[in-house]
Amino acid sequence: MVVAISVALAVSLAGCSLSVPSDPEGTLAHVTGGELRVGVTIEPGLVDPDGSGVSGPLVDLVQDFSATIHTEPEWTIGSEETLVGLLEDGELDLLIGGFTDKSPWTDRAGMTRGYQEIDGADGRSVVLLVPLGENAFLTKLESFLDDEVGP
């Protein structure tokens, strides 16, 4: 009996295509080889205005991450509330700025672990925000950040 149950379970699981972690909305697949839509809030020392664009340590990290997934970042500058709304609506893939692990947006966005070693963090535990539930994208981003600035 145990053997029959084991065989039935193995056969039923063989038909499943479980991929852990996964992205219900396909963010990692969408941005890889395409365009990474990045929402930016200005935060002196982390993200600074630069003519018609942005610069700073977080911008550099996103550009370096983008290169690893063969994509180009497209920047959208705005307020936190506006950008979180665009993230929820699927219009943005990633948010950067002065977000910390104390962020009030945890019920509306996923977030990376906190990184204190990012240049300009000044002891704050800086996080990047991603769409809720997009765990494959989050895992890829955190793996990159762990390698670049440490956990």
Side-chain angles (χ1 to χ4, degrees):
M1 180 71 167
V2 172
V3 172
I5 292 172
S6 297
V7 169
L9 182 60
V11 168
S12 66
L13 288 177
C16 296
S17 60
L18 295 176
S19 176
V20 178
S22 67
D23 282 348
E25 299 299 322
T27 300
L28 183 59
H30 165 78
V31 301
T32 300
E35 183 175 71
L36 179 64
R37 302 165 303 171
V38 184
V40 179
T41 63
I42 302 301
E43 181 67 24
L46 289 170
V47 180
D48 295 300
D50 183 12
S52 62
V54 289
S55 64
L58 285 178
V59 172
D60 294 342
L61 283 170
V62 169
Q63 288 173 329
D64 292 346
F65 171 68
S66 294
T68 69
I69 57 172
H70 312 289
T71 188
E72 284 292 323
E74 176 188 296
W75 310 100
T76 300
I77 301 171
S79 70
E80 287 187 14
E81 186 170 352
T82 297
L83 296 174
V84 169
L86 291 171
L87 185 73
E88 287 179 307
D89 292 342
E91 300 295 320
L92 295 173
D93 306 305
L94 176 64
L95 302 184
I96 65 171
F99 303 105
T100 70
D101 60 355
K102 308 259 188 277
S103 173
W105 303 112
T106 56
D107 60 336
R108 296 178 59 191
M111 67 174 56
T112 65
R113 288 185 287 279
Y115 294 89
Q116 295 180 340
E117 301 304 318
I118 295 173
D119 289 340
D122 298 327
R124 295 174 290 174
S125 190
V126 175
V127 300
L128 285 66
L129 304 184
V130 301
L132 277 174
E134 297 302 282
N135 295 322
F137 179 59
L138 178 62
T139 298
K140 184 82 166 176
L141 178 59
E142 283 185 330
S143 293
F144 169 81
L145 292 170
D146 287 350
D147 289 344
E148 294 296 310
V149 295

